[in-house]
Amino acid sequence: MDRVVHASAPGKVNIALRVGASRPDGFHPLDTVFEALDVRDDVVVQLAPDLAMSISGIGEDLPVDDSNLVIRAARLLRDRFGHCTSLDIVPADLGAHLAVTKRIPVAGGMAGGSADAAATLVALNELWQLSLKPEQLHECAAELGSDVPFSLMGGIAHGIGRGEQLTQLPSSETHGWVMLLNQQGLSTPAVFREFDKLGLGRATPDTTDDVRAVISGPTRGSEHRGLLGRAVGNDLEEPARSLRPDVAHIIDTIRAHIAAGVLGAHAVLLSGSGPTIAVLAEPSRLDSLAARLEQLFPGLTAVVATGPARGTYLVR
Ligand code: C5P
């Protein structure tokens, strides 16, 4: 059988990210608002004797062994739900080749690895004919990583816990983003360790109310995006600045340009745990803003994105 199944998953930006003090399990309680972006990774799967993967696009030098979240997602799905297959294959023998096309920056705070895991779950559920419900896919996603459930869901969502307990927020407005990519990545655990070292945890991190009020509120168009720009914020910016003065300098420069009204953007913030920097702007101005930012910071690459984008779906 050579059936091919194709799934597409979005990257994300955290419009707001509030972080509490470290829990006994080492994770940090989050209160966050995610927005899915139309920068997407694809996973194309076919039945094969074993589990194996390949990567094209960006990230071709990433490992393709058991350390890759794609293989871990496939194993978890097979071990947990392989018995649900309606194929005439013993569950332990379910295999696949997984071809990943990456466009979401690697180690950039845009959840590219999580998107690949989400696409893997959706594609293999179809290929292996497991007929799993969304809750069952969510259960696997939450085990694989804090951002994987949101990659499945997409749109705009409020996340608590580790970020995996999600509530979709109604959203009719389009947001434009220029994502400024840095060649040198930044490790998420290292940023959280620095957060602890600096003693930054909020007693109650549940303070994304202002952003949620704008998202679900009555304003439209540029007025809406202007209000949102004043409400955004990311508690991981301080530890990321401490680890990466170069990133701090870029954010400060953009912030000063925005305050002076010379950039035509609404806000700048760190994306997730960085080092990608997200600039919120009018959707019609993204290309000129991207060109201007690349001119100001010659070492950086600007990627244009809009949100909210659809969650993970099968490409028919
Ligand atoms: O869940 P995920 O694999 O994305 O997390 C990567 C790392 O980020 C964790 O191992 C942990 O060090 C840190 N983290 C955290 N608190 C969270 C989410 C992630 O400390 N809520």
Side-chain angles (χ1 to χ4, degrees):
M1 203 196 311
D2 55 3
R3 200 162 69 98
V4 173
V5 176
H6 178 180
S8 164
K12 60 91 189 167
V13 62
N14 297 80
I15 304 178
L17 180 56
R18 307 296 181 201
V19 183
S22 177
R23 308 191 305 206
D25 66 0
F27 279 90
H28 295 72
L30 303 183
D31 186 280
T32 187
V33 177
F34 292 104
E35 176 163 32
L37 300 178
D38 61 354
V39 181
R40 309 185 71 94
D41 282 0
D42 291 314
V43 175
V44 175
V45 298
Q46 265 179 297
L47 285 177
D50 301 307
L51 286 176
M53 67 175 291
S54 58
I55 301 178
S56 59
I58 58 172
E60 281 175 8
D61 48 351
L62 289 173
V64 290
D65 58 14
D66 286 8
S67 66
N68 194 300
L69 209 50
V70 165
I71 299 291
R72 283 169 43 206
R75 277 194 202 291
L76 177 65
L77 197 68
R78 183 174 65 187
D79 295 349
R80 179 82 45 90
F81 293 116
H83 62 276
C84 298
T85 185
S86 51
L87 295 175
D88 192 16
I89 300 178
V90 179
D93 288 344
L94 285 171
H97 181 264
L98 302 111
V100 182
T101 303
K102 285 187 81 67
R103 300 180 197 88
I104 304 168
V106 176
M110 289 178 67
S114 302
D116 300 345
T120 297
L121 294 175
V122 168
L124 290 182
N125 179 39
E126 178 74 14
L127 183 76
W128 290 343
Q129 296 180 24
L130 304 176
S131 305
L132 299 181
K133 299 193 184 80
E135 312 82 90
Q136 292 170 306
L137 292 178
H138 178 96
E139 174 191 319
C140 289
E143 263 176 65
L144 290 162
S146 310
D147 292 334
V148 185
F150 177 69
S151 232
L152 286 177
M153 178 185 265
I156 297 189
H158 179 220
I160 56 169
R162 284 163 46 212
E164 84 290 10
Q165 295 168 39
L166 296 168
T167 311
Q168 190 94 62
L169 297 176
S171 54
S172 53
E173 288 301 299
T174 301
H175 303 138
W177 297 93
V178 176
M179 308 301 286
L180 267 181
L181 315 185
N182 204 295
Q183 286 203 331
Q184 192 192 340
L186 187 53
S187 135
T188 300
V191 174
F192 276 104
R193 277 198 302 274
E194 185 71 7
F195 181 88
D196 293 339
K197 211 175 102 190
L198 297 173
L200 291 175
R202 286 174 189 259
T204 45
D206 52 337
T207 48
T208 56
D209 307 12
D210 42 358
V211 167
R212 282 184 283 143
V214 177
I215 295 290
S216 311
T219 55
R220 295 287 166 260
S222 61
E223 187 193 356
H224 164 91
R225 288 181 285 271
L227 276 181
L228 185 63
R230 269 170 263 147
V232 298
N234 181 352
D235 285 353
L236 294 181
E237 182 178 320
E238 197 170 331
R241 293 172 73 94
S242 162
L243 292 172
R244 292 285 295 275
D246 60 319
V247 172
H249 170 72
I250 298 162
I251 293 176
D252 289 344
T253 307
I254 298 174
R255 218 163 254 156
H257 276 72
I258 292 173
V262 293
L263 208 54
H266 295 297
V268 56
L269 78 164
L270 188 76
S271 174
S273 59
T276 299
I277 293 166
V279 184
L280 176 67
E282 290 301 303
S284 61
R285 305 186 65 162
L286 292 179
D287 289 333
S288 58
L289 177 62
R292 178 83 184 105
L293 289 170
E294 284 192 342
Q295 205 178 36
L296 278 173
F297 307 106
L300 304 185
T301 306
V303 172
V304 162
T306 58
R310 267 180 83 184
T312 305
Y313 60 83
L314 287 172
V315 180
R316 306 276 180 188

